[in-house]
Amino acid sequence: MMDKLFLKDNDYAGLLKELAREGIVYASVEEEGEKPHIRLITDDYDGQLKPASIRAVEPLKALLFPALENVGAYMGGADPGEAKQRAFIIGAKSCDLRSLEILDRVFAGGDFEDPFYIEKRDRLTIISSDCTACADECFCGLMDIRPYPTGEYDMNLSKVDGGFVVDTGSERGAEIVSKHKEFFSGAADGQVEERERNREAISLALEEQAEGLRIDADLRKITSEGFEDDVWEEEAGRCVECGACNFICPTCHCFILSDHAGGKGYERMKRWDACQYAGFTRVAGGASVLQRRSERLRNRYDKKFIFFPALMDRYACTGCGRCVSACPGKIDIREILKVLSSQALARRQR
Amino acid sequence: MNNPYLPIAATIEEIIEESASIKTFVIRPDEEIVFETGQFVELTVPGVGEAPFTPSSSPSVSERMEITIMEAGSITRLLHGMSPGAKVGLRGPYGVGYPLEKFRGRPVVIVGGGVGLAPLRSLLLALMEEIQLYDTIYLKYGAKTPGDIIYRRLIPEWAEVEGLDVTLTVDGGDEDWKGNVGVVTTILDDGRIDPAKAVAVACGPPIMMKFATSRLLELGYREDEIYLSMERNMSCGIGKCGHCRLGEYYICKDGPVFTWNKIKHVEEPFA
């Protein structure tokens, strides 16, 4: 195993701009007073390149499973030109990495593979980083996720005084180091210890924040048992069917194929769809299994806490809290889980 | 690149009117499509979109495919407006076919309602091609009125086939109708069939599926021997897009046919 490396604060922007000569660089950037956003970094980027303290507003899925994507032409149309450039994402957080496990299972697993996802995934180098703060909505701990990456990255950056402790997690990560030796030096033991202290502190902060959100039981169990609970009807009363929770969710993967005339033939598009939309399960003739908003709200939880754990032993929720921030009806996943949990507890005590 | 989202071009060769709202399309794809009976395809109206259908023709014919379609929504309306020679697209086959090897040596009870007979016709043709391998095949088919019965041109031939027993019923008859009147569940009780030994295969509208399943269970058919065609909105057909979820399954990937024991825990499976 390679010794820990160190990247100075002053070299962070330089490294990003170097990488921008090798491919497309997306970085999660936190500008003064703003939430972190994923920005396209070019070698003449003149904004601040402050590394993000928490996950970006945008989910990572947007880079691999775009909101709207041309998946090809048929019966005479022209095939979409494909960008084959390498891409980098800098500042992905631990919760973002978990979301990729879910998306990989959906698009690269099973009997059929989605070549569009796989091709983008193969081209993407992931440089993740530890969280140095937690947003009010963060609850990753509840989903068994640490606020710092524990794997699934090519390179990870942990903020310490004056720079970053650098880990490489793959050949690709190691290549970045060997290709850009000038930016990296050995990390001192003190810096590694500082990183460990930071990790403990942020974990503690998250735990304190989650105090009062003690979910008592297995989420799979409370979601199945709470199928008939009033909470769905009550919470769905504030749903305006905007689909924001679905679109902002890093693991929501539903899409719909739609066709149009294009070129000399026809083109097919793959576009994000939302299970909170009334038409999501509507069939020809008008019938729909998820007719009520409450049924559609419940569907989202069913999928995340029952379906995916059965499929791959993972909750399809990363505790990122994006849906909490995005919902205009203030529907809060933490509150719903709390209600289900306390109902489960009450049932047990009866 | 092996692109699972694109159809291959196909030509409608013939259109057969089955009833006022149901037509059978005889389609020749540019490349042969080999399917197992029970699997489905996505049929594209170019530039508009696609919808899933189970072929109604024999799986032993791969250069032409017949699909019987009821006019029910936007894609089917456009299909019904087409004429022979029109171009469409086909993608598939998808899903899992009927496990015919498990049906061997046993009575096979095929229960159809309305246009639900369409996919069952493919099964029936597959069974008829090796009919000596099975015990008697019982076709029990119900339609709203005599005019809604599909494959009227074929049913008399089927009735002549040795080893195949055909019973029809209509919800409401007319002055010429001499047969059974009543929903399809009323013709399932048949003294000649030993439910403990038989397999039942059902396809029809949700309400019929619900009552047919209850009736078959009452009669003593085994939960894992009742094969049900399930229906949900579907887009990709390959287990990615999330639309056709039924409990822990996707209908497109794990179905479209499920035995009752696999889905009985799902809330309102026939909704």
Side-chain angles (χ1 to χ4, degrees):
Chain A
M1 184 163 161
M2 194 184 294
D3 284 337
K4 297 269 184 284
L5 295 167
F6 185 72
L7 171 72
K8 289 198 295 260
D9 278 337
N10 286 343
D11 286 335
Y12 176 77
L15 176 64
L16 264 54
K17 289 185 180 182
E18 276 304 313
L19 294 176
R21 294 171 200 267
E22 292 168 30
I24 303 166
V25 171
Y26 300 99
S28 180
V29 175
E30 191 166 353
E31 282 170 18
E32 210 51 53
E34 301 267 340
K35 288 181 174 179
H37 285 279
I38 294 179
R39 304 281 188 216
L40 180 65
I41 309 300
T42 50
D43 57 5
D44 59 353
Y45 185 85
D46 58 2
Q48 295 174 37
L49 275 175
K50 191 175 167 236
S53 57
I54 58 166
R55 61 22 178 208
V57 169
E58 298 80 9
L60 220 51
K61 72 176 177 187
L63 301 180
L64 302 168
F65 163 46
L68 181 64
E69 181 172 35
N70 188 334
V71 292
Y74 60 91
M75 294 164 72
D79 263 310
E82 284 173 41
K84 291 284 187 201
Q85 243 185 314
R86 286 185 72 178
F88 299 86
I89 174 73
I90 290 119
K93 299 298 185 184
S94 187
C95 56
D96 293 320
L97 299 179
R98 171 62 63 82
S99 74
L100 295 186
E101 286 183 49
I102 308 289
L103 296 180
D104 286 351
R105 177 65 185 77
V106 171
F107 291 112
D111 300 336
F112 294 88
E113 293 185 335
D114 181 318
F116 299 93
Y117 176 89
I118 291 172
E119 193 265 327
K120 288 186 198 58
R121 183 78 164 92
D122 287 344
R123 281 195 281 123
L124 186 68
T125 297
I126 298 169
I127 302 182
S128 55
S129 61
D130 293 13
C131 286
T132 54
C134 54
D136 293 343
E137 308 84 17
C138 288
F139 61 102
C140 61
L142 224 60
M143 302 297 148
D144 301 323
I145 297 172
R146 313 301 307 159
Y148 47 85
T150 52
E152 306 291 322
Y153 53 77
D154 294 303
M155 176 180 274
N156 186 63
L157 307 177
S158 309
K159 187 77 195 79
V160 292
D161 192 37
F164 306 86
V165 172
V166 179
D167 288 285
T168 53
S170 71
E171 278 297 310
R172 280 183 180 182
E175 254 171 52
I176 294 174
V177 174
S178 57
K179 214 165 164 182
H180 302 283
K181 288 190 192 73
E182 68 279 16
F183 293 122
F184 299 96
S185 56
D189 287 350
Q191 288 168 321
V192 177
E193 284 158 19
E194 183 187 347
R195 188 262 292 271
E196 298 314 315
R197 284 197 302 277
N198 289 345
R199 286 182 165 185
E200 274 167 38
I202 191 72
S203 301
L204 197 66
L206 254 172
E207 247 172 69
E208 275 168 19
Q209 179 161 300
E211 208 56 52
L213 185 67
R214 283 276 147 258
I215 304 295
D216 182 64
D218 179 353
L219 298 177
R220 187 173 165 172
K221 198 159 181 287
I222 62 170
T223 312
S224 339
E225 286 177 1
F227 231 60
E228 300 299 333
D229 204 283
D230 294 336
V231 72
W232 309 114
E233 201 65 47
E234 283 161 15
E235 294 287 323
R238 299 197 306 280
C239 175
V240 297
E241 301 181 43
C242 65
C245 54
N246 292 129
F247 298 144
I248 204 82
C249 176
T251 70
C252 272
H253 63 86
C254 290
F255 65 88
I256 189 159
L257 298 172
S258 67
D259 294 24
H260 61 90
K264 288 183 188 141
Y266 308 98
E267 285 174 347
R268 182 156 286 169
M269 311 297 284
K270 183 177 146 196
R271 60 176 78 222
W272 289 356
D273 201 1
C275 65
Q276 302 307 297
Y277 286 167
F280 187 74
T281 57
R282 191 183 293 138
V283 295
S288 175
V289 281
L290 302 176
Q291 213 145 48
R292 300 184 62 79
R293 280 204 300 264
S294 55
E295 292 166 334
R296 297 198 291 277
L297 180 64
R298 187 179 65 189
N299 180 69
R300 204 168 124 72
Y301 291 71
D302 182 351
K303 189 85 184 273
K304 295 195 182 307
F305 301 115
I306 303 175
F307 179 87
F308 271 106
L311 183 72
M312 58 180 289
D313 201 26
R314 283 267 188 269
Y315 296 131
C317 172
T318 68
C320 71
R322 287 183 179 93
C323 58
V324 179
S325 318
C327 182
K330 299 200 167 14
I331 297 173
D332 188 328
I333 186 167
R334 298 167 300 179
E335 293 303 316
I336 292 180
L337 293 177
K338 214 154 81 175
V339 170
L340 294 176
S341 165
S342 63
Q343 304 284 31
L345 200 63
R347 268 195 303 277
R348 236 175 300 152
Q349 283 164 353
R350 266 204 298 273
Chain B
M1 179 171 71
N2 186 10
N3 189 337
Y5 297 119
L6 294 187
I8 52 176
T11 309
I12 296 178
E13 288 195 332
E14 192 187 346
I15 300 173
I16 304 158
E17 209 144 314
E18 303 285 359
S19 77
S21 62
I22 299 171
K23 290 178 178 176
T24 294
F25 297 80
V26 183
I27 302 170
R28 180 182 292 273
D30 284 3
E31 297 159 40
E32 288 189 13
I33 294 181
V34 179
F35 66 98
E36 289 172 34
T37 184
Q39 287 189 299
F40 71 94
V41 294
E42 290 275 0
L43 175 58
T44 297
V45 173
V48 180
E50 52 183 4
F53 300 97
T54 301
S56 46
S57 50
S58 164
S60 57
V61 179
S62 52
E63 69 275 10
R64 266 161 39 127
M65 182 183 286
E66 293 179 30
I67 306 180
T68 299
I69 298 171
M70 181 165 75
E71 187 180 332
S74 53
I75 295 289
T76 53
R77 191 170 309 122
L78 289 166
L79 287 166
H80 271 245
M82 287 181 173
S83 309
K87 293 285 180 192
V88 290
L90 282 173
R91 193 160 70 83
Y94 299 126
V96 185
Y98 289 105
L100 296 185
E101 66 292 345
K102 287 193 186 166
F103 296 1
R104 289 185 182 160
R106 311 168 63 182
V108 182
V109 183
I110 299 176
V111 185
V115 75
L117 183 59
L120 298 175
R121 178 187 164 223
S122 172
L123 170 65
L124 195 59
L125 294 173
L127 295 173
M128 277 160 58
E129 283 165 17
E130 41 176 26
I131 201 156
Q132 70 289 350
L133 295 180
Y134 307 93
D135 193 332
T136 308
I137 297 161
Y138 297 88
L139 172 64
K140 300 196 175 283
Y141 177 51
K144 272 191 185 132
T145 70
D148 292 311
I149 293 174
I150 62 170
Y151 306 137
R152 266 170 289 176
R153 64 209 148 89
L154 303 171
I155 288 172
E157 292 172 27
W158 296 346
E160 297 300 313
V161 174
E162 200 167 327
L164 173 60
D165 180 275
V166 179
T167 315
L168 306 182
T169 184
V170 293
D171 297 356
D174 55 25
E175 55 268 34
D176 298 329
W177 181 254
K178 304 276 190 292
N180 298 300
V181 176
V183 293
V184 76
T185 47
T186 61
I187 56 169
L188 298 183
D189 191 359
D190 186 325
R192 297 169 298 171
I193 308 169
D194 177 359
K197 290 196 181 123
V199 297
V201 182
C203 183
I207 189 79
M208 170 233 141
M209 296 294 279
K210 187 173 172 174
F211 287 105
T213 304
S214 322
R215 188 69 190 126
L216 291 166
L217 290 168
E218 272 170 23
L219 290 170
Y221 286 82
R222 284 173 42 177
E223 288 185 348
D224 59 348
E225 299 293 1
I226 301 175
Y227 292 82
L228 303 163
S229 286
M230 300 305 291
E231 186 181 82
R232 287 287 185 275
N233 179 24
M234 207 179 264
S235 182
C236 75
I238 58 173
K240 312 269 178 231
C241 80
H243 285 88
C244 66
R245 191 170 69 84
L246 177 74
E248 68 267 47
Y249 311 106
Y250 283 128
I251 289 179
C252 68
K253 178 173 77 67
D254 306 303
V257 174
F258 294 87
T259 50
W260 175 242
N261 60 313
K262 285 191 166 178
I263 56 169
K264 62 177 183 176
H265 65 285
V266 177
E267 196 195 41
E268 306 269 3
F270 302 117

